[in-house]
């Protein structure tokens, strides 16, 4: 289940990084012939963390629910679990 969520998050991250590189080229901060080392110098750890955080917030609950569903968990299972927990709370 985690692999589906991680795969989507990595895909979103790589798209954000690519957009960052293209914007840097557009603003003449990098040239289109820049090597990976130059690109790496422009993108730091803070930016990577910000990209990941922004992309995590973009992940919809539907995506996460679909990843759970692929593993055999259904929305009805969650409802039954919540109902059982509330009955136990009452007791």
């Amino acid at each position: 289940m985690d692999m589906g969520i991680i795969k989507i998050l990595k895909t979103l991250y790589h798209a954000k990084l690519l957009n960052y590189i293209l914007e840097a080229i557009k603003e003449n901060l990098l040239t289109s012939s820049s090597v990976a080392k130059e690109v790496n110098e422009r993108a730091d750890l803070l930016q990577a963390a910000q990209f990941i955080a922004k992309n995590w917030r973009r992940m919809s609950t539907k995506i996460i629910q679909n990843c759970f569903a692929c593993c055999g968990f259904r929305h009805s299972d969650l409802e039954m679990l919540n109902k059982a927990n509330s009955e136990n709370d009452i007791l």
Side-chain angles (χ1 to χ4, degrees), residues 35-50:
V35 293
K37 183 180 178 189
E38 293 173 29
V39 172
N40 192 35
E41 289 171 356
R42 297 283 312 146
D44 59 8
L45 189 58
L46 176 61
Q47 285 177 319
Q50 290 171 340

Side-chain angles (χ1 to χ4, degrees), residues 22-78:
L22 292 175
E23 285 294 320
I25 291 171
K26 184 178 176 182
E27 295 173 5
N28 294 323
L29 299 174
L30 294 171
T31 63
S32 57
S33 62
S34 295
V35 293
K37 183 180 178 189
E38 293 173 29
V39 172
N40 192 35
E41 289 171 356
R42 297 283 312 146
D44 59 8
L45 189 58
L46 176 61
Q47 285 177 319
Q50 290 171 340
F51 291 165
I52 292 169
K54 190 177 286 188
N55 289 327
W56 179 253
R57 287 189 293 271
R58 286 181 54 201
M59 298 243 324
S60 69
T61 55
K62 189 67 177 168
I63 291 172
I64 296 170
Q65 287 174 350
N66 288 341
C67 289
F68 271 95
C70 286
C71 293
F73 294 98
R74 301 282 180 245
H75 187 68
S76 58
D77 296 339
L78 181 61

Side-chain angles (χ1 to χ4, degrees), residues 3-30:
M3 293 309 293
I5 295 170
I6 292 169
K7 181 179 178 185
I8 293 168
L9 188 61
K10 280 184 177 181
T11 301
L12 291 173
Y13 171 79
H14 287 122
K16 185 74 173 165
L17 182 62
L18 181 60
N19 284 334
Y20 170 79
I21 293 168
L22 292 175
E23 285 294 320
I25 291 171
K26 184 178 176 182
E27 295 173 5
N28 294 323
L29 299 174
L30 294 171

